[in-house]
């Protein structure tokens, strides 16, 4: 039961962070465009970059941990964990965060689709 819960958490966290990372550049441009005070916009955007850099590193660590955890489990392939790792690394590259977000969404969808395997075997 513990492995199913971890797969559910990975899927939900991956979907949420992937969607946020995919739309983050548009939000930053919108904040910079509508802001009257340039200093306040710079502080807000800087804080967003720092916060989401930590989120990207957390997704990278989550991908590595689940890769090690599920390496001997036949119910979950290695693809979702590898997609989490690749998506997090790509999103750390400036201006490519939205591509990493899309890759993370695909990995999360694979985690959620693998939940059917747990119900069949348990």
């Amino acid at each position: 039961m513990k492995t199913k819960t971890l797969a559910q958490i990975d899927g939900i966290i991956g979907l949420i962070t992937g969607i946020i990372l995919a739309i983050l550049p548009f939000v930053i441009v919108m904040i910079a465009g509508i802001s009257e005070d340039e200093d306040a916009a710079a502080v807000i955007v800087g804080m967003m970059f720092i916060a989401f850099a930590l989120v990207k590193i957390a997704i990278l660590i989550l991908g590595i941990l689940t890769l090690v955890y599920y390496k001997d489990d036949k119910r979950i392939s290695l693809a979702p964990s590898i997609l989490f790792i690749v998506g997090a690394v790509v999103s750390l590259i400036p201006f490519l965060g939205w591509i990493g977000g899309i890759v993370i969404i695909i990995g999360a969808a694979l985690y959620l689709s693998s939940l059917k395997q747990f119900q069949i075997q348990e």
Side-chain angles (χ1 to χ4, degrees), residues 28-50:
I28 290 174
V29 169
M30 185 180 71
I31 289 173
I34 64 173
S35 177
E36 304 260 337
D37 187 13
E38 292 177 6
D39 293 334
V43 169
I44 291 171
V45 170
M47 290 174 62
M48 287 175 66
F49 274 125
I50 292 170

Side-chain angles (χ1 to χ4, degrees), residues 72-92:
D72 294 329
D73 197 349
K74 301 293 183 203
R75 296 175 286 190
I76 295 184
S77 68
L78 298 177
S81 300
I82 292 172
L83 286 173
F84 267 35
I85 294 169
V86 170
V89 169
V90 168
S91 68
L92 285 172

Side-chain angles (χ1 to χ4, degrees), residues 3-17:
T3 57
K4 181 181 177 184
T5 306
L6 181 62
Q8 285 175 334
I9 291 171
D10 286 346
I12 293 169
I13 289 175
L15 278 177
I16 292 169
T17 58

